[in-house]
PDB file of all heavy atoms in Angstrom:
ATOM      1  N   LYS A  74      -7.940 -11.501   1.095  1.00  0.00           N
ATOM      2  CA  LYS A  74      -8.799 -10.945   0.049  1.00  0.00           C
ATOM      3  C   LYS A  74      -8.547 -11.637  -1.282  1.00  0.00           C
ATOM      4  O   LYS A  74      -9.485 -11.918  -2.034  1.00  0.00           O
ATOM      5  CB  LYS A  74      -8.584  -9.434  -0.076  1.00  0.00           C
ATOM      6  CG  LYS A  74      -9.602  -8.775  -0.962  1.00  0.00           C
ATOM      7  CD  LYS A  74     -11.014  -9.030  -0.431  1.00  0.00           C
ATOM      8  CE  LYS A  74     -12.073  -8.628  -1.408  1.00  0.00           C
ATOM      9  NZ  LYS A  74     -13.409  -9.062  -0.975  1.00  0.00           N
ATOM     10  N   MET A  75      -7.293 -11.947  -1.584  1.00  0.00           N
ATOM     11  CA  MET A  75      -6.988 -12.641  -2.839  1.00  0.00           C
ATOM     12  C   MET A  75      -7.586 -14.051  -2.845  1.00  0.00           C
ATOM     13  O   MET A  75      -8.097 -14.499  -3.866  1.00  0.00           O
ATOM     14  CB  MET A  75      -5.485 -12.665  -3.080  1.00  0.00           C
ATOM     15  CG  MET A  75      -4.956 -11.304  -3.445  1.00  0.00           C
ATOM     16  SD  MET A  75      -3.247 -11.367  -3.920  1.00  0.00           S
ATOM     17  CE  MET A  75      -3.057  -9.763  -4.652  1.00  0.00           C
ATOM     18  N   ARG A  76      -7.529 -14.730  -1.703  1.00  0.00           N
ATOM     19  CA  ARG A  76      -8.168 -16.063  -1.606  1.00  0.00           C
ATOM     20  C   ARG A  76      -9.674 -15.959  -1.821  1.00  0.00           C
ATOM     21  O   ARG A  76     -10.265 -16.779  -2.518  1.00  0.00           O
ATOM     22  CB  ARG A  76      -7.891 -16.694  -0.231  1.00  0.00           C
ATOM     23  CG  ARG A  76      -6.593 -17.430  -0.124  1.00  0.00           C
ATOM     24  CD  ARG A  76      -6.529 -18.290   1.138  1.00  0.00           C
ATOM     25  NE  ARG A  76      -6.870 -17.578   2.358  1.00  0.00           N
ATOM     26  CZ  ARG A  76      -6.012 -16.902   3.119  1.00  0.00           C
ATOM     27  NH1 ARG A  76      -4.742 -16.830   2.786  1.00  0.00           N
ATOM     28  NH2 ARG A  76      -6.416 -16.301   4.221  1.00  0.00           N
ATOM     29  N   THR A  77     -10.281 -14.948  -1.238  1.00  0.00           N
ATOM     30  CA  THR A  77     -11.727 -14.766  -1.381  1.00  0.00           C
ATOM     31  C   THR A  77     -12.102 -14.501  -2.828  1.00  0.00           C
ATOM     32  O   THR A  77     -13.069 -15.075  -3.346  1.00  0.00           O
ATOM     33  CB  THR A  77     -12.208 -13.613  -0.478  1.00  0.00           C
ATOM     34  OG1 THR A  77     -11.861 -13.908   0.876  1.00  0.00           O
ATOM     35  CG2 THR A  77     -13.707 -13.425  -0.594  1.00  0.00           C
ATOM     36  N   ILE A  78     -11.352 -13.658  -3.508  1.00  0.00           N
ATOM     37  CA  ILE A  78     -11.610 -13.375  -4.924  1.00  0.00           C
ATOM     38  C   ILE A  78     -11.504 -14.665  -5.732  1.00  0.00           C
ATOM     39  O   ILE A  78     -12.331 -14.936  -6.602  1.00  0.00           O
ATOM     40  CB  ILE A  78     -10.649 -12.287  -5.451  1.00  0.00           C
ATOM     41  CG1 ILE A  78     -11.024 -10.933  -4.862  1.00  0.00           C
ATOM     42  CG2 ILE A  78     -10.645 -12.243  -6.970  1.00  0.00           C
ATOM     43  CD1 ILE A  78     -10.023  -9.831  -5.150  1.00  0.00           C
ATOM     44  N   GLU A  79     -10.489 -15.466  -5.433  1.00  0.00           N
ATOM     45  CA  GLU A  79     -10.303 -16.734  -6.136  1.00  0.00           C
ATOM     46  C   GLU A  79     -11.455 -17.703  -5.855  1.00  0.00           C
ATOM     47  O   GLU A  79     -11.994 -18.327  -6.767  1.00  0.00           O
ATOM     48  CB  GLU A  79      -8.981 -17.368  -5.718  1.00  0.00           C
ATOM     49  CG  GLU A  79      -8.646 -18.631  -6.489  1.00  0.00           C
ATOM     50  CD  GLU A  79      -7.299 -19.204  -6.075  1.00  0.00           C
ATOM     51  OE1 GLU A  79      -6.374 -18.417  -5.809  1.00  0.00           O
ATOM     52  OE2 GLU A  79      -7.197 -20.435  -6.034  1.00  0.00           O
ATOM     53  N   GLN A  80     -11.860 -17.816  -4.592  1.00  0.00           N
ATOM     54  CA  GLN A  80     -12.938 -18.727  -4.217  1.00  0.00           C
ATOM     55  C   GLN A  80     -14.270 -18.315  -4.850  1.00  0.00           C
ATOM     56  O   GLN A  80     -15.099 -19.163  -5.167  1.00  0.00           O
ATOM     57  CB  GLN A  80     -13.082 -18.797  -2.698  1.00  0.00           C
ATOM     58  CG  GLN A  80     -11.928 -19.514  -2.033  1.00  0.00           C
ATOM     59  CD  GLN A  80     -11.931 -19.358  -0.513  1.00  0.00           C
ATOM     60  OE1 GLN A  80     -12.662 -18.539   0.039  1.00  0.00           O
ATOM     61  NE2 GLN A  80     -11.098 -20.141   0.145  1.00  0.00           N
ATOM     62  N   LEU A  81     -14.452 -17.019  -5.028  1.00  0.00           N
ATOM     63  CA  LEU A  81     -15.674 -16.524  -5.662  1.00  0.00           C
ATOM     64  C   LEU A  81     -15.589 -16.558  -7.185  1.00  0.00           C
ATOM     65  O   LEU A  81     -16.551 -16.211  -7.865  1.00  0.00           O
ATOM     66  CB  LEU A  81     -15.960 -15.094  -5.192  1.00  0.00           C
ATOM     67  CG  LEU A  81     -16.323 -14.929  -3.724  1.00  0.00           C
ATOM     68  CD1 LEU A  81     -16.378 -13.460  -3.351  1.00  0.00           C
ATOM     69  CD2 LEU A  81     -17.650 -15.620  -3.418  1.00  0.00           C
ATOM     70  N   ALA A  82     -14.433 -16.962  -7.704  1.00  0.00           N
ATOM     71  CA  ALA A  82     -14.184 -17.035  -9.145  1.00  0.00           C
ATOM     72  C   ALA A  82     -14.433 -15.690  -9.826  1.00  0.00           C
ATOM     73  O   ALA A  82     -14.940 -15.628 -10.940  1.00  0.00           O
ATOM     74  CB  ALA A  82     -15.022 -18.136  -9.778  1.00  0.00           C
ATOM     75  N   LEU A  83     -14.055 -14.623  -9.136  1.00  0.00           N
ATOM     76  CA  LEU A  83     -14.184 -13.297  -9.724  1.00  0.00           C
ATOM     77  C   LEU A  83     -13.031 -13.065 -10.682  1.00  0.00           C
ATOM     78  O   LEU A  83     -11.892 -13.400 -10.389  1.00  0.00           O
ATOM     79  CB  LEU A  83     -14.157 -12.225  -8.635  1.00  0.00           C
ATOM     80  CG  LEU A  83     -15.280 -12.275  -7.602  1.00  0.00           C
ATOM     81  CD1 LEU A  83     -15.060 -11.204  -6.540  1.00  0.00           C
ATOM     82  CD2 LEU A  83     -16.633 -12.098  -8.260  1.00  0.00           C
TER      83      LEU A  83
END
Side-chain angles (χ1 to χ4, degrees):
K74 190 58 191 171
M75 289 187 167
R76 275 193 309 272
T77 302
I78 289 171
E79 185 178 323
Q80 290 169 348
L81 293 172
L83 298 176

